[in-house]
Amino acid sequence: MARTRAADFEEKQRSILTTAASTFAELGIDRASMAQIASRSGVSKALLYHYYPSKDALIFDIVHTHLSELDDALAQADDANLPAETRLRLIVGQLLEHYRNADNYHQVQLTGKNVLPQEMTDQLRAIERSIVARFSTLLNAINPKLDGETPLLMPVTMSLFGMMNWMYMWFRPNGPISRDAYADIVTRLIIAGSKSLV
């Protein structure tokens, strides 16, 4: 007989995901084991496997949860009635805010996809493409020449993601600038820089 879902299933699942993301970020994808994750999560190995039948399934859910929630947050922050430059600033700020307290999830996103089966990787890349397209569409609206004879739209878009995605390597909450201030810097740099290219 299959085990029925407990009333606190989702709460426990989120707790496991958070602990697993921390463990993967600390030890690395290859070295972290399901036994270590179960122990750190305060659950039995059998219960962990009830939630996630494999390490791949656990990695996938960490990244899928992180990306799906980010995609939804960006969609809510983006207002099509506003000018493209304002919209870009809003979604840059939303992405950086979404990364707050999510460094471990973000690290697993950057490193975990490489070990997953193709089917799982394809699902995650589809969400990533949706996220990237939201930014590139606005950059193209700000400077349509980026998508001209010399294809600069994708390099500029990925340069923007470089500034945002690697923030976790150096940013400190008690440092000289806030997330919001950095969102301003990133937006101004990418807008001014992209306009100077063509």
Side-chain angles (χ1 to χ4, degrees):
M1 178 184 238
R3 182 186 294 188
T4 58
R5 177 172 290 199
D8 60 349
F9 181 91
E10 291 183 4
E11 181 181 335
K12 284 184 179 176
Q13 186 177 42
R14 175 63 77 161
S15 177
I16 289 169
L17 284 182
T18 300
T19 302
S22 172
T23 305
F24 285 133
E26 177 190 343
L27 303 177
I29 298 291
D30 294 335
R31 290 190 316 231
S33 69
M34 293 292 273
Q36 288 169 313
I37 291 166
S39 175
R40 291 181 178 201
S41 298
V43 300
S44 68
K45 196 171 172 183
L47 183 60
L48 177 61
Y49 277 105
H50 169 62
Y51 284 91
Y52 295 103
S54 68
K55 189 173 175 180
D56 284 351
L58 180 53
I59 295 168
F60 173 82
D61 203 26
I62 290 170
V63 181
H64 188 271
T65 298
H66 180 58
L67 290 175
S68 297
E69 291 177 352
L70 173 57
D71 197 26
D72 290 344
L74 293 175
Q76 291 177 21
D78 193 6
D79 183 348
N81 296 313
L82 297 174
E85 292 188 8
T86 304
R87 292 171 65 189
L88 182 65
R89 169 58 181 84
L90 287 172
I91 65 171
V92 166
Q94 183 59 56
L95 184 143
L96 295 181
E97 183 59 36
H98 186 78
Y99 284 176
R100 186 188 297 273
N101 301 320
D103 287 351
N104 294 329
Y105 279 79
H106 185 60
Q107 281 186 256
V108 177
Q109 176 199 344
L110 294 174
T111 60
K113 295 194 310 289
N114 301 328
V115 303
L116 295 176
Q118 191 65 47
E119 181 183 344
M120 289 181 171
T121 303
D122 288 345
Q123 291 181 57
L124 297 176
R125 285 188 176 148
I127 305 172
E128 286 178 331
R129 282 193 295 272
S130 172
I131 292 168
V132 169
R134 186 177 296 279
F135 285 87
S136 65
T137 297
L138 290 176
L139 288 169
N140 191 47
I142 291 166
N143 184 1
K145 292 180 180 179
L146 290 174
D147 206 21
E149 186 175 333
T150 303
L152 297 176
L153 182 58
M154 187 52 68
V156 169
T157 302
M158 298 320 292
S159 295
L160 170 58
F161 274 93
M163 285 191 279
M164 296 186 295
N165 284 348
W166 294 100
M167 176 187 175
Y168 80 93
M169 295 289 288
W170 59 267
F171 181 82
R172 298 294 176 268
N174 57 349
I177 62 170
S178 66
R179 284 177 185 272
D180 196 52
Y182 185 60
D184 281 333
I185 291 171
V186 168
T187 306
R188 291 167 63 190
L189 280 173
I190 207 71
I191 291 173
S194 66
K195 286 181 177 179
S196 73
L197 291 174
V198 288

